[in-house]
Amino acid sequence: MLCYYSLLHTNDYFNKDILIQMYLHWIENSRNKMSNLHYNGKDDFYYAIPHKELIIKDFKDKGLNISFITDDNEKHNRFTVEILYLDHTLHLKFYKEITDQSVYIDKISIPGIFRDLFHSSYILNDDIFKIDDHPHYIDHMIDTHTKLPIIVMKGPHYRISPNELAFRLAGNAHIVCCDDCENNIMIKYPNQALKPFKNSYKESLGRLTYRLSDAIRNYCINLNHSYSYQELYEMELQEKQKDFKQSTIEIKEYYENEINEKQMMLDMLQEEYIEKCQLLEEANQLNSKLNKKSALLNYEPLLIHDEDNEDYRTYMMNLLEIALRNLDNNEIYRRKDIIESIIHTNKQVKL
């Protein structure tokens, strides 16, 4: 449960390194001290011992978050002191785990690191008022435009102690003591007129203090527009998951394009292969024809002993066929001479 919230504006001298140093100094010099704590100087840092955790996490454009978590107390309630620094603004948050033993929170112990920041020279004033845990004393109420509520108390006899109230509501309201206040307790919320805070003298001071503090705290908590560490961490995981999904889609598209290009190349190679096969088949057919012709032109020497021999007759007819086929049209008339020449050739012929 968020039980305290305050928004502070810093000057230009303040930075995240100063914040980290102040935070570590607070841990080292309080009951929250963590043994063997050695900060490595990085923006992402985690250290834990039994019952205590320290987390420093830079969420880039969403700010630097520092969280201290502890349940080192009698009731083992879980407390979280968290600061988010972004664009010269400090979001101070204090969470408390509500249990059956601590249902009501009538008094908030503001963490010391918050008070250290209030007292530092880095925090800008809220209009004319310094953000502090001490009351402001003025002669008469003035028109001012603060971002925090103003609790105006009539003096010199105050029903509630201004110092105690200022200490309780440090960072949540300005406590102004003014003699010309029309009522014992008045409240001026930002951009609103000064109004009396309803109370009765029959009401106990403790009950009145609780109601007033609770009203102011709830107002400031409702103005909380910053994210907690857990919310920022979940957002970071979602962004990483989104980036991973996007990367997965891009990788998938890349390999799909690669596969499509390889498939197109394979199709082209298959077409080229078919064409080469067709050319090879045609070449084989042509080669077969040439081999047949070559066989006819490359007969081994043949001894002829008898002109009536059947082998001789076959050989002569083949030779005649080749000779006639190789003649031009205008040389066909020489057919008879060729036949006679072949018939009277030597019986031992070598082609």
Side-chain angles (χ1 to χ4, degrees), residues 3 6 16 34 37 48 51 111 216 248 262 276 287 306 343:
C3 53
S6 180
K16 62 182 182 181
M34 304 175 73
L37 172 60
H51 304 291
I216 298 298
T248 304
K262 298 296 183 184
K276 298 293 184 183
N287 189 51
D306 186 358
I343 292 174

Side-chain angles (χ1 to χ4, degrees), residues 166-285:
F167 191 80
R168 281 178 176 239
L169 294 178
N172 281 166
H174 302 292
I175 309 303
V176 175
C177 298
C178 179
D179 290 338
D180 65 351
C181 178
E182 297 177 1
N183 194 291
N184 186 33
I185 301 177
M186 306 281 286
I187 296 181
K188 182 182 184 305
Y189 288 103
N191 303 318
Q192 295 184 18
L194 193 64
K195 297 179 180 179
F197 181 76
K198 295 181 180 179
N199 65 92
S200 170
Y201 281 94
K202 295 181 180 180
E203 185 177 19
S204 67
L205 297 182
R207 176 62 182 170
L208 176 60
T209 304
Y210 165 75
R211 284 199 310 111
L212 183 57
S213 301
D214 192 53
I216 298 298
R217 271 203 313 266
N218 288 337
Y219 173 84
C220 293
I221 290 173
N222 290 332
L223 292 179
N224 178 21
H225 299 295
S226 70
Y227 296 104
S228 66
Y229 170 81
Q230 189 62 34
E231 291 172 331
L232 289 171
Y233 183 68
E234 291 175 358
M235 290 170 62
E236 185 180 61
L237 291 179
Q238 291 174 358
E239 290 177 358
K240 287 182 178 179
Q241 185 178 20
K242 182 179 178 181
D243 293 339
F244 176 76
K245 288 182 178 179
Q246 184 64 31
S247 299
T248 304
I249 293 173
E250 291 175 355
I251 293 173
K252 181 180 178 182
E253 291 178 351
Y254 171 78
Y255 281 107
E256 285 179 348
N257 292 334
E258 285 287 313
I259 292 172
N260 292 334
E261 291 179 3
K262 298 296 183 184
Q263 186 62 46
M264 292 175 61
M265 186 177 296
L266 179 62
D267 293 341
M268 292 175 61
L269 291 175
Q270 287 179 339
E271 293 178 359
E272 185 177 353
Y273 173 75
I274 293 173
E275 292 178 359
K276 298 293 184 183
C277 288
Q278 292 176 350
L279 291 175
L280 179 61
E281 185 178 357
E282 293 175 1
N284 288 335
Q285 292 176 357

Side-chain angles (χ1 to χ4, degrees), residues 50-310:
H51 304 291
K52 296 176 184 179
E53 292 178 74
L54 174 64
I55 305 172
I56 301 175
K57 174 70 174 175
D58 190 356
F59 290 100
K60 308 304 179 185
D61 58 331
K62 294 181 177 61
L64 177 78
N65 187 285
I66 308 179
S67 297
F68 174 76
I69 305 167
T70 180
D71 60 0
D72 185 16
N73 53 76
E74 293 180 358
K75 297 180 180 180
H76 297 292
N77 289 329
R78 185 181 176 90
F79 296 94
T80 302
V81 180
E82 186 174 292
I83 298 178
L84 177 66
Y85 177 62
L86 176 64
D87 297 332
H88 294 290
T89 59
L90 288 168
H91 300 265
L92 311 182
K93 289 173 278 191
F94 178 59
Y95 297 88
K96 182 178 181 181
E97 181 183 79
I98 302 302
T99 64
D100 294 337
Q101 295 175 311
S102 56
V103 177
Y104 298 103
I105 306 177
D106 56 345
K107 184 177 181 181
I108 298 297
S109 178
I110 298 176
I113 178 61
F114 294 176
R115 298 189 186 277
D116 292 343
L117 288 168
F118 298 152
H119 299 155
S120 72
S121 60
Y122 301 109
I123 306 304
L124 299 179
N125 290 347
D126 184 15
D127 199 9
I128 64 171
F129 293 112
K130 184 181 187 314
I131 298 177
D132 204 345
D133 52 5
H134 298 287
H136 304 276
Y137 293 89
I138 58 178
D139 295 332
H140 58 277
M141 191 58 203
I142 56 178
D143 187 18
T144 182
H145 302 283
T146 60
K147 295 181 180 179
L148 293 179
I150 300 175
I151 299 177
V152 182
M153 303 180 66
K154 184 178 180 180
H157 303 291
Y158 306 104
R159 191 172 179 202
I160 303 176
S161 169
N163 289 310
E164 179 183 353
L165 197 59
F167 191 80
R168 281 178 176 239
L169 294 178
N172 281 166
H174 302 292
I175 309 303
V176 175
C177 298
C178 179
D179 290 338
D180 65 351
C181 178
E182 297 177 1
N183 194 291
N184 186 33
I185 301 177
M186 306 281 286
I187 296 181
K188 182 182 184 305
Y189 288 103
N191 303 318
Q192 295 184 18
L194 193 64
K195 297 179 180 179
F197 181 76
K198 295 181 180 179
N199 65 92
S200 170
Y201 281 94
K202 295 181 180 180
E203 185 177 19
S204 67
L205 297 182
R207 176 62 182 170
L208 176 60
T209 304
Y210 165 75
R211 284 199 310 111
L212 183 57
S213 301
D214 192 53
I216 298 298
R217 271 203 313 266
N218 288 337
Y219 173 84
C220 293
I221 290 173
N222 290 332
L223 292 179
N224 178 21
H225 299 295
S226 70
Y227 296 104
S228 66
Y229 170 81
Q230 189 62 34
E231 291 172 331
L232 289 171
Y233 183 68
E234 291 175 358
M235 290 170 62
E236 185 180 61
L237 291 179
Q238 291 174 358
E239 290 177 358
K240 287 182 178 179
Q241 185 178 20
K242 182 179 178 181
D243 293 339
F244 176 76
K245 288 182 178 179
Q246 184 64 31
S247 299
T248 304
I249 293 173
E250 291 175 355
I251 293 173
K252 181 180 178 182
E253 291 178 351
Y254 171 78
Y255 281 107
E256 285 179 348
N257 292 334
E258 285 287 313
I259 292 172
N260 292 334
E261 291 179 3
K262 298 296 183 184
Q263 186 62 46
M264 292 175 61
M265 186 177 296
L266 179 62
D267 293 341
M268 292 175 61
L269 291 175
Q270 287 179 339
E271 293 178 359
E272 185 177 353
Y273 173 75
I274 293 173
E275 292 178 359
K276 298 293 184 183
C277 288
Q278 292 176 350
L279 291 175
L280 179 61
E281 185 178 357
E282 293 175 1
N284 288 335
Q285 292 176 357
L286 181 59
N287 189 51
S288 178
K289 292 179 181 179
L290 292 176
N291 287 337
K292 289 180 180 180
K293 291 181 179 181
S294 177
L296 293 174
L297 294 172
N298 289 279
Y299 282 107
E300 291 295 329
L302 180 64
L303 294 178
I304 303 299
H305 300 285
D306 186 358
E307 294 183 1
D308 294 330
N309 187 282
E310 184 64 28

Side-chain angles (χ1 to χ4, degrees), residues 36-52:
N36 300 320
L37 172 60
H38 299 289
Y39 175 57
N40 60 13
K42 296 182 179 179
D43 291 338
D44 290 347
F45 177 78
Y46 176 79
Y47 182 72
I49 60 175
H51 304 291
K52 296 176 184 179

